[in-house]
Amino acid sequence: MLGCLHFSGRSYTSHEYTRCNEEDESERGRIEAVLNDPTRIKVVHAYSLHNMVVVEGGVRLHVVLKFKYSADHIEAIFGAKKPDEDMVKVFNAGCRIFPYCIFNSIDEVPLTWTYQNNQGQVYERVELLCTV
């Protein structure tokens, strides 16, 4: 348990509160160890949600996923083939280098994929429609 937020309306004893804080500190320590691991690979990611509409069986999202990482990781870590060109843009095809998963997705329709390698730093952009 990372946080100790309780919404039940119940009051807690000081012993329960202290135990919760100790568990929280222990979890923070584990997270800090992972985040500060020198072998960890840095990938900066962001997303933008452009539209959302209710459809039969779920919600259709228009999403843009953005990833920034070192080109050194493409073949060695991600197991993908590095594009020959530094700038690639593909329409209506399911391209990707960075391995990601959209949980609870029941349908994905690719719109655009952009790969841009700027002196070893990659910017990858995936635009898609996704039903969850």
Side-chain angles (χ1 to χ4, degrees):
M1 170 162 88
L2 182 57
C4 295
L5 300 176
H6 304 282
F7 297 102
S8 64
R10 168 186 179 295
S11 61
Y12 292 88
T13 66
S14 61
H15 172 71
E16 288 173 316
Y17 181 76
T18 301
R19 191 187 77 225
C20 185
N21 281 342
E22 288 169 358
E23 289 172 4
D24 192 37
E25 288 303 315
S26 174
E27 185 66 15
R28 277 194 196 127
R30 286 190 289 271
I31 291 170
E32 287 294 323
V34 169
L35 292 177
N36 294 319
D37 183 347
T39 62
R40 185 169 182 247
I41 296 168
K42 182 178 180 179
V43 176
V44 177
H45 60 89
Y47 74 92
S48 56
L49 180 60
H50 294 255
N51 192 19
M52 179 182 339
V53 62
V54 176
V55 296
E56 185 176 334
V59 176
R60 169 77 42 127
L61 307 172
H62 179 181
V63 181
V64 176
L65 308 172
K66 302 166 190 172
F67 306 100
K68 290 182 181 179
Y69 50 84
S70 170
D72 296 337
H73 303 320
I74 293 174
E75 294 176 355
I77 305 298
F78 303 153
K81 183 183 180 310
K82 184 176 172 182
D84 295 329
E85 301 173 26
D86 286 341
M87 177 65 177
V88 180
K89 186 153 189 155
V90 178
F91 296 92
N92 302 320
C95 299
R96 71 171 77 174
I97 292 176
F98 182 78
Y100 68 86
C101 176
I102 300 175
F103 290 106
N104 298 321
S105 172
I106 56 175
D107 179 38
E108 293 181 20
V109 177
L111 299 176
T112 65
W113 175 73
T114 305
Y115 167 85
Q116 186 175 351
N117 186 337
N118 242 349
Q119 299 175 347
Q121 287 301 309
V122 173
Y123 169 72
E124 183 177 1
R125 181 182 186 276
V126 180
E127 183 176 3
L128 59 112
L129 299 175
C130 170
T131 305
V132 293

